[in-house]
C-alpha cells in the first residue's frame, strides 16, 4: 500500500476541528518525517511546518552524505517514500560493516589483526542500512509535504521562508514568533544545524564538549574489484576514518566513473595531517590508513572540513509545550554514523506518546487538555532517554579516547574488537543496536 497516496487522498484525513495544534520548526529530515507521519497518524491534528529556507529553493543537489539504519529505511517505507527514493539510483545499500584499527594489537593471538564484521546475511535481513545524499532524501520528503498541504489546506500548512525568532509559553500552549505571533498546543524543534553553528550548553541545561577534532569530508574512487556495499570504520592514531558505499559515479567533474565511497576522515585539530597536503599527498596518506580489503584508493575529491563536538540537551521537553528532536536535542560525533537515525527514533517515540493521549483530548477542558499533552511529552522523554544517553555516552567515549596517547588504549580497543567478533551474541546485539537503536 502506498502511504504517500493515502496521505494526499484519504477521506479519513478530511479537515476537522483540530484537537492538537502542532508546530514543527525545521524542515530537515527529522522535521519533515514528523510532519508527514503526524499527518497520517493524527487525523485530529493541525500541523504547520516552519523553515527559514524558501520553499522554491532546490535542495535536491545537496551532496552531504547520510547513513540510514535499517529501522530508518523501514520508517521511510511506512511513509511511502522509500521505493521512490531508491528508484532514483542514488542510494547504496549497506550489506556489511567492517570495523578495525590501524595500530597493531600486540597481545592478539590470531594470525590477522582483530576486527568486527557484521553482515546482512548473518542478521537475516536484506540490508543493514543505506547511504544517500541529503538532497536525495529531503527533496522527496518536501515534495510529499507540499502535496499533503495542497490536499488538506485547512489542516496542514507550511511556512517556508519564515525563520522562527522565538518561542514563549502562554496559557494553553506556546506562542511562536515568526513574523506574526501564533499560538500552538505544542512546538517541536527539529532545527539543529551543525556543531559549529550551535551555542554551547551549560549544565544543567545540557552538555557541550569541543573534541578539538576536524572531520574532512568528501568522496573517493575505489578499484572496481573492491567489494560493494561494505561500510568501513577504521580507528587510527589521529581519529576514526570511515568509508560508506555510494552508487557508482565520478568523484570529480572531469574524473573517471567507477566504484565510489563517501569519506569521513577525523583528525586532531592540533596535529592535523590533512590540512597542508595537496590532493596527491592526501591520496597517498589515505592508502596507508584503511585495511587491505578496501583495495587501492584511486582518487579523492576536494575535501571540506567541519569542527566536531558534542551538544546534548539534558531534557527533551521544556515548559511542558516544547519538545526537541534530532540535532536540536543532540549533536554527536560522526564516529557511529547514527545522528539522523537517533532523530527519526525521536519522531517515532513522540508520535507514539501523542497517539496514546489524543483519544482523551476531545472531551476535556482546555486546562486538562494542556495537562494531557504534558503527560504525553513526559512519556516521550522517559522512553527516549535510555537510547539517546547510551549512544551519546558511546560516541563520546570513542571520540575522547583518541585524545589520549597511551598505547594501552589501542591494545584494549583491539582486544575488544577481537572478542566481539568471537562472541556471536555480543556481535548480534551490536548489529541490532545499529539497525534499530536501544529497545
Amino acid at each position: 500500500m502506498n502511504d504517500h497516496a493515502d496521505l494526499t487522498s484519504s477521506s479519513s484525513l478530511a479537515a476537522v476541528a483540530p484537537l492538537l495544534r502542532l508546530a514543527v520548526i525545521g524542515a530537515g529530515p527529522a522535521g519533515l518525517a514528523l510532519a508527514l507521519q503526524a499527518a497520517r497518524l493524527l487525523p485530529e491534528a493541525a500541523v504547520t511546518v516552519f523553515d527559514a529556507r524558501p520553499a522554491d529553493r532546490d535542495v535536491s543537489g545537496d551532496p552531504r552524505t547520510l547513513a540510514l539504519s535499517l529501522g530508518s529505511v523501514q520508517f521511510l517505507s511506512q511513509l511511502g517514500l522509500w521505493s521512490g527514493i531508491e528508484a532514483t539510483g542514488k542510494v547504496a545499500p549497506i550489506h556489511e560493516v567492517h570495523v578495525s584499527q590501524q595500530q597493531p594489537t600486540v597481545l592478539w593471538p590470531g594470525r590477522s589483526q582483530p576486527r568486527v564484521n557484521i553482515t546482512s546475511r548473518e542478521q537475516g535481513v536484506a540490508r543493514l542500512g543505506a547511504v544517500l545524499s541529503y538532497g536525495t532524501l529531503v527533496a522527496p520528503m518536501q515534495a510529499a509535504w507540499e502535496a499533503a498541504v495542497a490536499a488538506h489546506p485547512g489542516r496542514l500548512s507550511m511556512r517556508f521562508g519564515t525563520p522562527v525568532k522565538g518561542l514563549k509559553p502562554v496559557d494553553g500552549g506556546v506562542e511562536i514568533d515568526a513574523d506574526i505571533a501564533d499560538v500552538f498546543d505544542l512546538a517541536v524543534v527539529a532545527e539543529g544545524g551543525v556543531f559549529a553553528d550551535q551555542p554551547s550548553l551549560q549544565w544543567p541545561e545540557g552538555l557541550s564538549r569541543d573534541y578539538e577534532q576536524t572531520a574532512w569530508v568528501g568522496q573517493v574512487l575505489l578499484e572496481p574489484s573492491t567489494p560493494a556495499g561494505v561500510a568501513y570504520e577504521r580507528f587510527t592514531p589521529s581519529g576514526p576514518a570511515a568509508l560508506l558505499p555510494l552508487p557508482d559515479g565520478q568523484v570529480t567533474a572531469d574524473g573517471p566513473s567507477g566504484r565510489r565511497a563517501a569519506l569521513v576522515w577525523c583528525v586532531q585539530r592540533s596535529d592535523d595531517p590533512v590540512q597542508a597536503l595537496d590532493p596527491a599527498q592526501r591520496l597517498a596518506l589515505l592508502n596507508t590508513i584503511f585495511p587491505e580489503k578496501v583495495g587501492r584508493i584511486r582518487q579523492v575529491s576536494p575535501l571540506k572540513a567541519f569542527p566536531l563536538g558534542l551538544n546534548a540537551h539534558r531534557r527533551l521537553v521544556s515548559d511542558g509545550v516544547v519538545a526537541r528532536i534530532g540535532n536540536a536535542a543532540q549533536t554527536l560525533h560522526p564516529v557511529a554514523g547514527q545522528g539522523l537515525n537517533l532523530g527519526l527514533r525521536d519522531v517515532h517515540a513522540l508520535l507514539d506518546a501523542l497517539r496514546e493521549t489524543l483519544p482523551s483530548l476531545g472531551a476535556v477542558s482546555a486546562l486538562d487538555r494542556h495537562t494531557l499533552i504534558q503527560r504525553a511529552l513526559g512519556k516521550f522523554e522517559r522512553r527516549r532517554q535510555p537510547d539517546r544517553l547510551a549512544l551519546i555516552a558511546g560516541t563520546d567515549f570513542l571520540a575522547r579516547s583518541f585524545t589520549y596517547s597511551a598505547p594501552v588504549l589501542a591494545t584494549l580497543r583491539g582486544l575488544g574488537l577481537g572478542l566481539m567478533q568471537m562472541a556471536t551474541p555480543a556481535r548480534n546485539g551490536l548489529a541490532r543496536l545499529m539497525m534499530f537503536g536501544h529497545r
Side-chain angles (χ1 to χ4, degrees):
M1 181 173 66
N2 189 315
D3 291 326
H4 180 193
D6 287 349
L7 179 60
T8 58
S9 62
S10 173
S11 61
S12 67
L13 297 183
V16 295
L19 296 181
L20 176 71
R21 295 161 296 169
L22 172 62
V24 180
I25 302 168
L32 287 171
L34 174 62
L36 289 164
Q37 192 73 324
R40 291 180 62 248
L41 300 181
L42 304 176
E44 304 90 347
V47 185
T48 301
V49 177
F50 294 84
D51 198 276
R53 79 168 183 268
D56 59 359
R57 179 181 294 171
D58 184 11
V59 297
S60 63
D62 191 320
R64 287 175 289 174
T65 299
L66 300 175
L68 298 178
S69 66
L70 178 58
S72 295
V73 171
Q74 292 173 346
F75 187 20
L76 292 167
S77 296
Q78 292 174 10
L79 290 174
L81 295 172
W82 183 250
S83 59
I85 291 172
E86 197 167 31
T88 65
K90 298 178 180 179
V91 178
I94 299 175
H95 294 299
E96 179 182 345
V97 174
H98 183 282
V99 184
S100 62
Q101 69 172 1
Q102 188 179 17
Q103 307 99 303
T105 305
V106 294
L107 299 178
W108 184 246
R111 293 183 178 179
S112 60
Q113 285 296 302
R115 86 284 182 204
V116 172
N117 268 94
I118 297 172
T119 67
S120 56
R121 181 176 181 179
E122 182 183 44
Q123 298 304 315
V125 296
R127 72 185 95 202
L128 299 172
V131 182
L132 73 173
S133 73
Y134 184 94
T136 299
L137 176 61
V138 172
M141 295 182 80
Q142 181 172 321
W145 181 246
E146 290 171 348
V149 170
H152 303 282
R155 191 172 72 88
L156 310 178
S157 60
M158 53 188 289
R159 294 179 61 183
F160 280 45
T162 310
V164 171
K165 301 171 185 176
L167 304 174
K168 183 175 72 174
V170 296
D171 289 342
V174 54
E175 182 181 276
I176 294 181
D177 180 6
D179 293 338
I180 59 173
D182 205 352
V183 176
F184 294 81
D185 295 306
L186 169 62
V188 181
V189 182
E191 189 174 50
V194 297
F195 171 75
D197 298 332
Q198 297 173 350
S200 294
L201 300 173
Q202 301 297 324
W203 194 261
E205 180 188 11
L207 174 66
S208 287
R209 179 172 286 124
D210 185 346
Y211 291 126
E212 299 184 356
Q213 296 177 18
T214 298
W216 291 94
V217 177
Q219 296 181 5
V220 298
L221 187 70
L222 305 173
E223 293 285 356
S225 58
T226 302
V230 183
Y232 297 91
E233 184 83 37
R234 183 74 158 172
F235 295 110
T236 81
S238 296
L243 293 176
L244 303 174
L246 292 174
D248 288 355
Q250 298 170 296
V251 302
T252 61
D254 57 351
S257 182
R259 181 147 296 162
R260 294 184 303 155
L263 169 68
V264 183
W265 190 0
C266 303
V267 297
Q268 298 299 313
R269 198 178 303 154
S270 60
D271 186 24
D272 189 334
V274 182
Q275 186 171 18
L277 302 181
D278 62 30
Q281 292 169 326
R282 290 177 177 179
L283 180 62
L285 181 57
L286 275 175
N287 273 303
T288 69
I289 288 178
F290 288 99
E292 184 178 346
K293 183 177 179 178
V294 171
R296 184 174 68 91
I297 298 175
R298 301 167 58 195
Q299 190 178 37
V300 58
S301 73
L303 303 180
K304 292 184 178 181
F306 297 91
L308 297 179
L310 167 69
N311 260 337
H313 284 260
R314 183 175 66 91
R315 300 288 307 274
L316 296 177
V317 177
S318 59
D319 300 311
V321 287
V322 178
R324 292 180 174 273
I325 63 172
N327 274 13
Q330 60 271 319
T331 300
L332 309 180
H333 192 286
V335 62
Q338 289 292 314
L340 174 57
N341 302 307
L342 195 61
L344 293 180
R345 296 199 293 272
D346 291 342
V347 170
H348 181 79
L350 177 58
L351 288 174
D352 270 358
L354 288 171
R355 290 179 75 194
E356 293 169 8
T357 303
L358 267 178
S360 305
L361 288 179
V364 299
S365 67
L367 180 61
D368 289 339
R369 165 196 183 107
H370 184 58
T371 300
L372 287 172
I373 291 173
Q374 288 182 314
R375 185 178 302 166
L377 293 181
K379 288 181 181 179
F380 157 67
E381 185 171 55
R382 288 192 299 273
R383 292 171 181 176
R384 287 304 299 136
Q385 293 292 31
D387 184 25
R388 70 185 294 261
L389 292 178
L391 195 53
I392 288 169
T395 57
D396 184 58
F397 170 76
L398 288 173
R400 295 171 69 193
S401 71
F402 293 101
T403 64
Y404 306 114
S405 58
V408 68
L409 282 177
T411 297
L412 291 174
R413 192 163 50 230
L415 291 173
L417 291 173
L419 293 174
M420 178 74 71
Q421 180 66 20
M422 294 169 59
T424 300
R427 191 172 69 255
N428 290 343
L430 176 62
R432 304 298 292 183
L433 189 66
M434 291 169 51
M435 292 189 288
F436 303 111
H438 179 82
R439 291 182 170 180

